[in-house]
Amino acid sequence: MPRPDIRLRHTGLGPVAAFGASNFPLAFSVAERYGLGAGRRLPFIAKAHSGHPGTSELVGRAVQRAVRDCGMPEGVFSLLFDSGRQISQALVADQRVIVLFNVEKRA
């Protein structure tokens, strides 16, 4: 009887996205651990909260340094800024985004 052909593959499923919170602008850094941590290395998209652009930029730069220092591919982390809802709505509507993190009532 032929043996089954069993193979293990690591295939990316799609990006993970998170929305920065008005009450805790560092919240997306917690969600990054899901996408980038534990060997998952999924592309991670963070949408900064418009009320905390400076804090979001500082966290984003720290994450980009960590990505580079860990030898992850360039572009695995993206930080997006928007004063409205256009980016948030696009992320929610995009079927390629496999996980959305939101800690507020609205993004």
Side-chain angles (χ1 to χ4, degrees):
M1 175 177 260
R3 296 179 62 167
D5 184 12
I6 300 173
R7 299 174 192 206
L8 174 65
R9 281 192 266 171
H10 297 282
T11 305
L13 299 174
V16 173
F19 302 104
S22 65
N23 60 344
F24 187 53
L26 304 176
F28 71 78
S29 64
V30 174
E32 287 159 20
R33 290 185 221 152
Y34 178 83
L36 298 176
R40 291 183 185 93
R41 297 182 181 219
L42 298 173
F44 189 89
I45 304 165
K47 194 265 185 191
H49 191 279
S50 59
H52 304 286
T55 303
S56 297
E57 183 178 354
L58 289 172
V59 172
R61 287 183 184 191
V63 172
Q64 287 174 338
R65 278 192 304 274
V67 163
R68 182 185 62 243
D69 293 349
C70 290
M72 291 180 166
E74 187 175 332
V76 75
F77 172 76
S78 299
L79 176 60
L80 307 176
F81 292 87
D82 183 7
S83 60
R85 296 184 182 176
Q86 186 175 359
I87 289 176
S88 298
Q89 290 172 343
L91 287 171
V92 170
D94 194 326
Q95 293 183 2
R96 294 171 295 180
V97 176
I98 60 167
V99 177
L100 289 166
F101 290 93
N102 185 23
V103 295
E104 290 195 290
K105 293 179 185 169
R106 53 190 175 129

